[in-house]
Amino acid sequence: MPYPFDCITEFMFFETSIEPSDVILIPGGSHPQLMERAAELYHQGLAPYILPSGGPTPNVSSTEWEFLRDVGLSLGVPESSILREDKATNTFENARYSWKSLQQQRINPRKAILVCKSYFARRALLTYHVEFPSEVEFYVSPVTDKTGTTRDNWYLDEQKINYVMNELTKVGQYFKHHIPNWVNSKL
Protein backbone atom coordinates (compact mmCIF):
# COMPACT_ATOMS: atom_id res chain seq x y z
CA MET A 1 0.00 0.00 0.00
CA PRO A 2 1.45 3.38 -0.93
CA TYR A 3 2.26 6.01 1.68
CA PRO A 4 1.23 9.64 1.22
CA PHE A 5 4.93 10.57 1.38
CA ASP A 6 6.09 8.21 -1.41
CA CYS A 7 6.52 11.29 -3.62
CA ILE A 8 9.16 12.55 -1.16
CA THR A 9 11.01 9.24 -1.43
CA GLU A 10 10.94 9.40 -5.24
CA PHE A 11 12.10 13.01 -5.30
CA MET A 12 14.87 12.80 -2.70
CA PHE A 13 16.34 9.36 -3.44
CA PHE A 14 17.20 10.17 -7.03
CA GLU A 15 19.28 7.81 -9.15
CA THR A 16 20.08 7.42 -12.84
CA SER A 17 21.66 4.82 -15.05
CA ILE A 18 25.44 5.22 -15.33
CA GLU A 19 27.29 5.69 -18.61
CA PRO A 20 30.99 6.16 -19.37
CA SER A 21 31.95 9.68 -18.35
CA ASP A 22 34.87 12.09 -18.19
CA VAL A 23 35.03 12.34 -14.39
CA ILE A 24 33.50 10.99 -11.18
CA LEU A 25 32.60 13.80 -8.78
CA ILE A 26 32.20 13.44 -5.01
CA PRO A 27 30.67 16.51 -3.30
CA GLY A 28 32.54 16.17 -0.02
CA GLY A 29 31.80 14.13 3.04
CA SER A 30 33.48 11.98 5.64
CA HIS A 31 31.77 8.78 4.56
CA PRO A 32 34.16 6.17 3.10
CA GLN A 33 31.24 4.68 1.15
CA LEU A 34 31.46 7.65 -1.24
CA MET A 35 34.99 6.83 -2.40
CA GLU A 36 34.29 3.11 -2.26
CA ARG A 37 31.58 3.58 -4.92
CA ALA A 38 33.71 6.00 -6.92
CA ALA A 39 36.63 3.55 -6.89
CA GLU A 40 34.31 0.75 -7.99
CA LEU A 41 33.10 2.84 -10.94
CA TYR A 42 36.68 3.87 -11.74
CA HIS A 43 37.88 0.24 -11.77
CA GLN A 44 34.97 -0.62 -14.08
CA GLY A 45 36.45 1.88 -16.54
CA LEU A 46 33.54 4.31 -16.34
CA ALA A 47 35.77 7.42 -15.95
CA PRO A 48 39.51 8.18 -15.99
CA TYR A 49 39.40 10.58 -13.02
CA ILE A 50 37.83 10.93 -9.60
CA LEU A 51 37.44 14.40 -8.12
CA PRO A 52 36.61 14.33 -4.42
CA SER A 53 35.86 17.76 -2.99
CA GLY A 54 35.99 19.14 0.51
CA GLY A 55 38.02 21.28 2.85
CA PRO A 56 38.72 21.06 6.57
CA THR A 57 35.98 19.61 8.75
CA PRO A 58 35.73 18.48 12.37
CA ASN A 59 34.59 15.05 11.13
CA VAL A 60 38.08 14.08 9.91
CA SER A 61 41.59 14.98 11.02
CA SER A 62 42.50 16.73 7.76
CA THR A 63 40.30 17.75 4.83
CA GLU A 64 37.41 15.80 3.35
CA TRP A 65 39.45 15.63 0.13
CA GLU A 66 42.43 14.03 1.89
CA PHE A 67 40.19 11.59 3.75
CA LEU A 68 38.49 10.51 0.50
CA ARG A 69 41.78 10.42 -1.41
CA ASP A 70 43.28 8.09 1.22
CA VAL A 71 40.29 5.76 0.91
CA GLY A 72 40.73 5.77 -2.88
CA LEU A 73 44.44 5.02 -2.67
CA SER A 74 43.76 2.12 -0.31
CA LEU A 75 41.35 0.75 -2.95
CA GLY A 76 43.94 0.82 -5.72
CA VAL A 77 43.01 4.07 -7.45
CA PRO A 78 46.26 5.61 -8.75
CA GLU A 79 47.13 8.97 -7.21
CA SER A 80 47.38 10.45 -10.73
CA SER A 81 43.67 9.66 -11.27
CA ILE A 82 42.52 11.47 -8.11
CA LEU A 83 42.12 15.16 -8.79
CA ARG A 84 42.24 17.73 -5.98
CA GLU A 85 39.75 20.16 -4.50
CA ASP A 86 40.43 20.71 -0.81
CA LYS A 87 38.96 24.15 -0.01
CA ALA A 88 35.16 23.76 -0.24
CA THR A 89 33.09 24.23 2.92
CA ASN A 90 29.60 23.68 1.46
CA THR A 91 27.91 22.01 -1.49
CA PHE A 92 27.91 25.08 -3.74
CA GLU A 93 31.65 25.44 -3.15
CA ASN A 94 32.11 21.71 -3.82
CA ALA A 95 30.57 22.21 -7.24
CA ARG A 96 32.13 25.61 -8.00
CA TYR A 97 35.66 24.68 -6.91
CA SER A 98 35.42 21.28 -8.62
CA TRP A 99 34.62 23.05 -11.89
CA LYS A 100 37.62 25.37 -11.37
CA SER A 101 39.86 22.39 -10.61
CA LEU A 102 38.76 20.66 -13.80
CA GLN A 103 39.41 23.82 -15.81
CA GLN A 104 42.89 24.16 -14.29
CA GLN A 105 43.59 20.57 -15.39
CA ARG A 106 42.20 21.42 -18.86
CA ILE A 107 39.46 18.83 -18.43
CA ASN A 108 36.16 19.89 -20.01
CA PRO A 109 33.70 17.17 -19.09
CA ARG A 110 30.68 16.50 -21.23
CA LYS A 111 29.52 13.71 -18.93
CA ALA A 112 30.06 13.35 -15.19
CA ILE A 113 29.08 10.79 -12.58
CA LEU A 114 28.01 12.24 -9.26
CA VAL A 115 28.59 9.93 -6.28
CA CYS A 116 26.74 11.19 -3.20
CA LYS A 117 24.71 10.14 -0.17
CA SER A 118 21.37 8.65 -1.21
CA TYR A 119 19.15 11.19 0.57
CA PHE A 120 21.38 14.04 -0.66
CA ALA A 121 21.18 13.07 -4.33
CA ARG A 122 18.60 15.64 -5.44
CA ARG A 123 20.32 18.60 -3.78
CA ALA A 124 23.74 17.51 -5.03
CA LEU A 125 22.49 17.20 -8.60
CA LEU A 126 20.76 20.58 -8.55
CA THR A 127 23.84 22.24 -7.06
CA TYR A 128 26.13 20.88 -9.76
CA HIS A 129 23.59 21.99 -12.39
CA VAL A 130 23.87 25.53 -11.00
CA GLU A 131 27.68 25.63 -11.04
CA PHE A 132 28.59 23.58 -14.13
CA PRO A 133 27.82 24.54 -17.75
CA SER A 134 24.36 23.45 -18.86
CA GLU A 135 25.73 21.10 -21.52
CA VAL A 136 27.32 18.79 -18.92
CA GLU A 137 25.24 15.63 -18.55
CA PHE A 138 25.14 14.15 -15.04
CA TYR A 139 24.61 10.58 -13.93
CA VAL A 140 23.81 10.03 -10.26
CA SER A 141 25.16 7.04 -8.33
CA PRO A 142 24.00 7.36 -4.72
CA VAL A 143 25.35 5.34 -1.80
CA THR A 144 24.03 4.42 1.61
CA ASP A 145 26.28 6.29 4.02
CA LYS A 146 27.26 5.43 7.56
CA THR A 147 23.86 6.62 8.86
CA GLY A 148 22.21 3.70 7.04
CA THR A 149 19.48 5.95 5.62
CA THR A 150 17.82 4.41 2.54
CA ARG A 151 14.70 4.93 0.44
CA ASP A 152 13.21 1.88 2.19
CA ASN A 153 13.85 2.87 5.82
CA TRP A 154 14.07 6.66 6.13
CA TYR A 155 10.49 6.94 7.39
CA LEU A 156 10.89 4.26 10.12
CA ASP A 157 13.24 6.18 12.42
CA GLU A 158 13.03 9.71 13.80
CA GLN A 159 16.70 10.50 13.08
CA LYS A 160 16.46 9.28 9.49
CA ILE A 161 13.25 11.27 8.99
CA ASN A 162 15.17 14.33 10.17
CA TYR A 163 18.02 13.70 7.69
CA VAL A 164 15.65 13.44 4.74
CA MET A 165 13.32 16.27 5.70
CA ASN A 166 16.25 18.61 6.41
CA GLU A 167 17.54 17.87 2.91
CA LEU A 168 14.08 18.45 1.43
CA THR A 169 13.89 21.83 3.18
CA LYS A 170 17.34 22.77 1.85
CA VAL A 171 16.28 21.97 -1.72
CA GLY A 172 13.53 24.58 -1.44
CA GLN A 173 15.70 27.15 0.31
CA TYR A 174 18.74 26.75 -1.92
CA PHE A 175 17.12 26.66 -5.34
CA LYS A 176 14.01 28.85 -5.33
CA HIS A 177 16.03 31.84 -6.56
CA HIS A 178 17.72 29.77 -9.32
CA ILE A 179 14.45 28.78 -10.98
CA PRO A 180 14.05 32.09 -12.91
CA ASN A 181 17.62 31.72 -14.22
CA TRP A 182 16.92 28.18 -15.42
CA VAL A 183 13.67 29.28 -17.08
CA ASN A 184 15.33 32.28 -18.76
CA SER A 185 18.20 30.13 -20.06
CA LYS A 186 15.64 27.92 -21.86
CA LEU A 187 13.75 30.84 -23.47
Side-chain angles (χ1 to χ4, degrees):
M1 182 170 105
Y3 291 111
F5 54 82
D6 284 347
C7 58
I8 294 172
T9 302
E10 291 306 311
F11 180 74
M12 295 303 292
F13 291 85
F14 182 74
E15 185 171 1
T16 68
S17 61
I18 304 298
E19 292 189 17
S21 296
D22 303 301
V23 65
I24 299 166
L25 303 165
I26 306 174
S30 57
H31 302 265
Q33 297 86 350
L34 296 165
M35 182 54 91
E36 290 165 1
R37 172 65 58 80
E40 176 186 332
L41 296 170
Y42 171 86
H43 289 304
Q44 290 173 8
L46 288 166
Y49 301 106
I50 300 173
L51 176 50
S53 174
T57 177
N59 299 328
V60 294
S61 60
S62 56
T63 63
E64 291 176 340
W65 174 83
E66 188 174 340
F67 170 79
L68 292 167
R69 181 209 57 192
D70 290 348
V71 172
L73 293 174
S74 75
L75 296 170
V77 178
E79 192 158 7
S80 60
S81 294
I82 302 175
L83 305 177
R84 183 181 198 126
E85 191 302 291
D86 61 357
K87 305 284 187 249
T89 61
N90 61 56
T91 310
F92 277 107
E93 288 181 357
N94 291 133
R96 187 176 309 125
Y97 298 166
S98 290
W99 178 251
K100 286 180 183 178
S101 175
L102 290 167
Q103 296 303 288
Q104 289 168 353
Q105 298 284 327
R106 302 208 185 312
I107 299 169
N108 290 301
R110 292 288 177 226
K111 296 180 178 185
I113 300 168
L114 192 57
V115 173
C116 56
K117 298 179 290 187
S118 61
Y119 56 93
F120 174 65
R122 184 63 68 174
R123 182 162 65 95
L125 177 62
L126 288 170
T127 303
Y128 278 73
H129 272 299
V130 167
E131 297 295 334
F132 275 55
S134 61
E135 61 270 8
V136 177
E137 187 173 351
F138 290 98
Y139 305 104
V140 180
S141 183
V143 301
T144 301
D145 66 7
K146 60 190 175 188
T147 69
T149 305
T150 69
R151 69 182 297 119
D152 298 320
N153 73 9
W154 74 268
Y155 48 84
L156 300 175
D157 171 271
E158 190 69 32
Q159 186 60 51
K160 290 176 174 70
I161 292 170
N162 285 336
Y163 292 143
V164 173
M165 297 312 288
N166 284 338
E167 281 299 318
L168 182 60
T169 300
K170 287 178 182 179
V171 168
Q173 292 171 339
Y174 286 26
F175 299 104
K176 66 182 175 186
H177 65 281
H178 289 285
I179 291 171
N181 296 334
W182 287 331
V183 169
N184 290 334
S185 73
K186 297 286 185 196
L187 297 179

